[in-house]
Structures are given as C-alpha cells and as structure tokens.
Amino acid sequence: MTSEITLFVNPTAGRGRGAHAARPAARAFRDAGFSVRTVVGHDPDDALRRAREAVEGGTGALVAVGGDGMVSLALQAVAGTGTPLGVVAEGTGNDFARSLGLPLRDPAAAGRVAAEALTATGGRPLDLGRVDGGAPGTRAQGGGRWFGTVLASGFDSRVNDRGNRMRLPAGRFTYDLAILAELATFRPVPYRLVLDDGAVLETEATLVAVGNGTSYGGGMRICADAVMDDGLLDVTVVGDCGRAELIKVFPRVYKGTHLDHPKVTVHRVRSVSLDAPDTTGYADGEPLGPLPLTARCVPGALKVLAPGPDGLRSEAPRSQAGR
C-alpha cells in the first residue's frame, strides 16, 4: 500500500466548510504517517477526471471532503478498483457518512477514523447500488452509475426537482419549502416494478425508494432497515396516500417508524426495475434522468475506511420477502 493518499475536495460544500475541512483532515493523515495530495476540480466532470487519474496512478486512498454529492463523484472513481474510499463529511445532508456512523462536520475526527482504518485493515468491503437505463444524455445512460445510499423516485424526487428550480441557497430550509409546495399538487402515480425473481408489481404509489443505505435528505430514514453489506437492496414502496395521510406519515420518516404504516411495504431484492410516467430518478441526491431505470446491488464493490461491521449489520435475521 502506498503511503500517499488523495484528498478529493469540494471547496463549496456546506456553504464553504469544505475548503476549511481539508486542512485538519490532511493533518490527521500526516500525523498517522501518510503523505497527502489534494485534488480540486473546476466542475464535476473535471473533478471526476482528476479523481480517476489519482486512482489509476495508484493512490493509497481517495478521501472525499464535502457532502453526498462529492461522495457520489468519488464512488464513480473508486468502485470496483480496490482503492479505499474515506469520507470527511462537510455537506448539508451527509447521509453516506451518517449511514456508516462516521463523524459529521468534524474533519479532524473523520481524518483520524479514516487513517486508523487504512492502517489497520486497508478498508472494509461495502455493497453499492448500480443504476442502468435512462435517456441519452442523462447520468444513468451508457455505462451506468454507482450509488451508496438511496435511489429516490416519486414524491421525493419531485421535491428535489422543485428544490433545484428554487432560487434559494441549497439546504434544509429549501428542501422543506419544496416539500410544502409539492404537497399542494402531488398525486400518486402508477408504478410498474419488476423484482429480481421476475415478479411484477403494478401499483399506485406516492414514492418508491431503493436503498443500499438507510437515509437521504439529511437523515430521512426512508429505508431504515437497509444494511450496506448484505448483498441486497431495500425497496420501500409508499402506497397511494392522499395529502392528509402523507402529511401524517412523512414526519415519521426521520425515525424510520413509517415502515409500520399499512400503506408502506418493503421488498429486499438483488435488483429492481422501476417505471412510472413523468418521474425522475435521483441517486445519492444526484439526478439520473427519467424512469425507467434498473438498479442492482453489487456486493463488495467498495472498500470503505469506516469502523468494523458491527455497526452495519442488523441484529435480527433479514428476509427477502416483501412485508
């Protein structure tokens, strides 16, 4: 293992916190005996190109400094390569780091955790989701796209669409305003899901979320029981809730108790195809393009610099059947 690691920095993450976070994170790695180089792209495409060059050049680890958008870019560079990924979470949502129990907005602590993991084990295996399909020119078209947390579609993706159109700074406040605005006009849409055993589910649904991780939107535990190293994706289907019912159910997402609602079902699958009219898919908060899309779990696709497996596995046996 080379002693050099690469900090992959988004200087604008967390309203500018990303630029400041690189220094204490780098110091933690140097204190652990690693040399550090920094990569900053001019735009997402340039950043991804530079990250891939670092991986191809044999860097000992790629450490994403920023939010879930930066982690998403980093996944495209390291997935399937054996190069470990570290995360210094300095974004707004930080759902990938949250799912792994990593420090949030504490770059020195995050750097120490990553350096200790790199020294002790070189990283531990983690599953990733892989999305294929999508219209020409979209992010899922062609070679596919990796995701670490949740592929969202339906009400939640429409909230993202609306939030992206708002002329407000990105963050929790914008997302909450978008939720309120979308509630005023949203109607359930007809979905067609094909599960990995060939079973077809046609249903009116408010949203369908496909989780490798548990949460999106800064801690909304839409796939609360998802485990990131079990070889399965959790497909959460929220049925045809009206506005009044959705207003009651949606706040429960923050604790994951919505899974007990009679309108909610969960299917555990190796792959799932989703189709619904006029519906965009988002993975790790990044737009993929319109449905149809197909997502599959790729076991062990990533080596991640995170604590051991006890924090990722549920205590109860998990069934692949819907409930």
Side-chain angles (χ1 to χ4, degrees):
M1 179 183 69
T2 178
S3 63
E4 181 186 81
I5 66 98
T6 301
L7 292 185
F8 185 42
V9 181
N10 179 359
T12 65
R15 300 180 183 178
R17 288 192 300 268
H20 300 290
R23 289 191 291 273
R27 189 178 307 118
F29 277 101
R30 292 189 179 106
D31 289 346
F34 295 94
S35 61
V36 179
R37 65 184 291 254
T38 300
V39 166
V40 180
H42 299 297
D43 54 44
D45 289 340
D46 181 56
L48 179 55
R49 179 184 61 79
R50 293 169 184 255
R52 284 176 167 156
E53 287 176 352
V55 171
E56 292 167 1
T59 187
L62 186 70
V63 181
V65 182
D68 287 322
M70 203 62 177
V71 172
S72 178
L73 275 181
L75 290 178
Q76 314 314 310
V78 301
T81 68
T83 300
L85 173 69
V87 179
V88 177
E90 284 291 332
T92 302
N94 300 318
D95 286 289
F96 186 82
R98 181 179 286 106
S99 294
L100 291 168
L102 295 173
L104 305 181
R105 302 189 183 97
D106 187 341
R112 287 193 296 271
V113 168
E116 289 168 5
L118 186 56
T119 300
T121 66
R124 52 161 308 189
L126 198 73
D127 301 342
L128 290 178
R130 178 82 170 170
V131 183
D132 296 295
T138 63
R139 293 192 177 185
Q141 190 258 343
R145 190 167 181 87
W146 299 97
F147 69 96
T149 55
V150 176
L151 189 165
S153 71
F155 177 76
D156 41 9
S157 65
R158 291 171 194 257
V159 168
N160 270 314
D161 286 341
R162 186 180 289 271
N164 290 338
R165 294 194 299 268
M166 289 181 169
R167 295 185 177 181
L168 293 170
R172 182 76 256 170
F173 178 67
T174 300
Y175 193 82
D176 289 343
L177 283 180
I179 288 175
L180 293 175
E182 192 60 38
L183 278 170
T185 60
F186 183 79
R187 298 288 187 277
V189 296
Y191 269 86
R192 186 177 191 271
L193 308 180
V194 181
L195 308 181
D196 55 13
D197 59 3
V200 176
L201 174 63
E202 295 186 344
T203 184
E204 295 281 326
T206 301
L207 66 87
V208 176
V210 181
N212 181 58
T214 57
S215 69
Y216 60 9
M220 300 170 70
R221 294 173 54 80
I222 188 67
C223 298
D225 291 340
V227 177
M228 300 178 79
D229 58 359
D230 66 346
L232 298 172
L233 300 171
D234 279 28
V235 182
T236 300
V237 180
V238 179
D240 57 345
C241 294
R243 281 197 297 272
E245 190 67 15
L246 186 57
I247 289 170
K248 290 191 294 184
V249 172
F250 211 75
R252 296 171 59 180
V253 173
Y254 288 95
K255 292 185 177 179
T257 57
H258 65 292
L259 298 183
D260 296 327
H261 193 277
K263 290 284 188 179
V264 177
T265 56
V266 177
H267 307 268
R268 294 190 171 107
V269 300
R270 292 178 296 277
S271 67
V272 59
S273 296
L274 305 89
D275 196 5
D278 303 319
T279 301
T280 303
Y282 281 77
D284 291 340
E286 299 296 309
L288 297 171
L291 272 54
L293 295 168
T294 296
R296 58 188 172 92
C297 182
V298 183
L302 178 69
K303 289 176 68 176
V304 66
L305 301 177
D310 291 346
L312 298 184
R313 291 195 179 278
S314 61
E315 296 178 2
R318 288 161 52 84
S319 167
Q320 294 189 43
R323 61 182 180 86

